[in-house]
C-alpha cells in the first residue's frame, strides 16, 4: 500500500524559509495527485497546496500564494513544498497526502485523499 513520509520541518525565524519533502512508496507516483495540508493546535486541518499527477497544474490557499511553491518529481517519487517568507501563522504540523487520479486534476478537499503521511512540525518564531 502507499506510504508517505514527510521530512524537512523544524524551527525557523519569521521571514525565513524551509523546504518540506514527502517521499512516496508502494504505488505508481506518476498516477497520484498530491497535496499538502496543515493543522495548527486547536484548529482543523486545512488545505495548503496541491499538484496534479504530472505536475502541470497547481493550486494554493490564498494565504500562501506567492510564498509557497509545490513541486513534484516523478523520477524521485517525491513532492516538495518550498516555503518562503514564513510567519507565525504558518506554524503547524504539515501533512502530505496522495490521491490516485485518472486525469490531470488538483484536489483541495481533505476527504478525497486516500493516503496520508505522519506529519512534520513547522514552528516559526517571531
Amino acid at each position: 500500500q502507499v506510504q508517505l513520509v514527510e521530512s524537512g520541518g523544524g524551527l525557523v525565524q519569521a521571514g525565513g524559509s524551509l523546504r518540506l519533502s514527502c517521499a512516496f512508496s508502494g504505488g505508481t507516483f506518476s498516477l497520484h495527485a498530491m497535496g499538502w495540508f496543515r493543522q495548527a493546535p486547536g484548529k482543523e486541518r486545512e488545505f495548503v497546496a496541491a499538484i496534479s499527477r504530472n505536475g502541470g497544474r497547481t493550486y494554493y490557499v490564498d494565504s500562501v500564494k506567492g510564498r509557497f511553491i509545490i513541486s513534484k518529481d516523478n523520477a524521485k517519487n517525491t513532492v516538495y513544498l518550498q516555503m518562503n517568507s514564513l510567519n507565525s501563522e504558518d506554524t503547524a504540523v504539515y501533512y502530505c497526502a496522495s490521491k490516485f487520479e485518472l486525469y490531470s486534476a488538483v484536489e483541495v478537499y481533505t476527504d478525497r485523499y486516500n493516503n496520508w503521511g505522519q506529519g512534520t512540525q513547522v514552528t516559526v518564531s517571531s
Side-chain angles (χ1 to χ4, degrees), residues 13-16 63 67 84-91 123-125:
Q13 288 188 334
S63 61
R67 300 189 298 123
N84 302 317
S85 301
L86 287 161
N87 59 60
S88 58
E89 293 184 352
D90 297 316
T91 294
T123 303
V124 183
S125 64

Side-chain angles (χ1 to χ4, degrees), residues 11-79:
L11 175 64
V12 62
Q13 288 188 334
S17 299
L18 281 175
R19 188 176 82 155
L20 305 183
S21 300
C22 175
F24 175 104
S25 62
T28 304
F29 186 58
S30 61
L31 297 181
H32 283 248
M34 302 296 294
W36 285 98
F37 293 77
R38 65 187 179 187
Q39 188 167 17
K43 295 187 177 181
E44 293 187 354
R45 190 170 299 188
E46 67 168 353
F47 167 78
V48 176
I51 191 165
S52 60
R53 69 180 201 176
N54 66 356
R57 298 179 65 185
T58 59
Y59 191 78
Y60 301 89
V61 67
D62 284 348
S63 61
V64 308
K65 283 181 181 177
R67 300 189 298 123
F68 290 12
I69 300 172
I70 186 171
S71 60
K72 189 175 189 273
D73 188 335
N74 284 342
K76 294 183 178 180
N77 284 7
T78 302
V79 64

